[in-house]
Amino acid sequence: MNIRFRSSVKLLVWVAAFLSSALVAVSEEQTGSKAKWTAPAAERQKKNPVAVNASSIAAGQKVYLKRCAACHGNAGNGDGPDAADLGIHPAKLSDPAVREQTDGELFWKVTAGKKPMPGYGSRLSATDRWSVINYLRTLARR
């Protein structure tokens, strides 16, 4: 009986250790997702090759309304119809703080994505992504 008890205790300790490490891993993952989202320095320095004009802004708006507005909202306030289902608040793209980010930084974020936002590097052309950046600049001025 004593051997069975020891085996049960060892098994219980092993299971407790496993569950504890799993909880720590999940906690770290959630904490990491709330960390500041910063683009690499080389990406921040990239310049937008798409001229800011009515045509590029209109093209960016078309892409934005199709791909981004469901979460970020039509006016970029983070209040799109799908936002409530995300478990986080989408970025408020109309916030003046967006102006503080470089075009390259915003382009990298749109390209790479960050869960739950998908990366659009393989979903949109570079021209479309740069045009979206031009359009985002108009949201920050509203």
Side-chain angles (χ1 to χ4, degrees):
M1 186 88 151
N2 198 11
I3 293 174
R4 270 190 174 166
F5 179 74
R6 286 182 186 168
S7 295
S8 296
V9 169
K10 284 181 183 180
L11 178 62
L12 184 60
V13 168
W14 186 86
V15 169
F18 176 77
L19 290 175
S20 296
S21 64
L23 286 173
V24 168
V26 169
S27 174
E28 287 177 4
E29 180 181 322
Q30 289 175 349
T31 302
S33 67
K34 294 180 183 181
K36 187 171 180 177
W37 191 17
T38 306
E43 299 296 326
R44 285 193 303 263
Q45 295 173 7
K46 284 187 177 178
K47 302 297 180 197
N48 189 339
V50 176
V52 178
N53 56 40
S55 176
S56 73
I57 291 170
Q61 180 182 28
K62 183 178 178 181
V63 172
Y64 177 87
L65 292 174
K66 182 178 180 182
R67 302 286 186 130
C68 312
C71 295
H72 293 285
N74 286 343
N77 292 323
D79 59 354
D82 295 347
D85 297 333
L86 296 176
I88 65 164
H89 297 289
K92 186 174 178 182
L93 302 173
S94 60
D95 191 313
V98 170
R99 280 182 260 185
E100 296 172 11
Q101 296 180 51
T102 67
D103 285 355
E105 185 172 10
L106 294 171
F107 181 80
W108 178 82
K109 290 177 178 184
V110 169
T111 301
K114 180 181 177 188
K115 199 172 187 177
M117 183 181 119
Y120 288 96
S122 62
R123 299 169 191 223
L124 296 173
S125 71
T127 300
D128 281 348
R129 286 177 277 145
W130 285 117
S131 294
V132 167
I133 303 310
N134 289 343
Y135 176 68
L136 291 180
R137 297 292 183 202
T138 71
L139 295 176
R141 284 187 231 129
R142 293 181 186 178

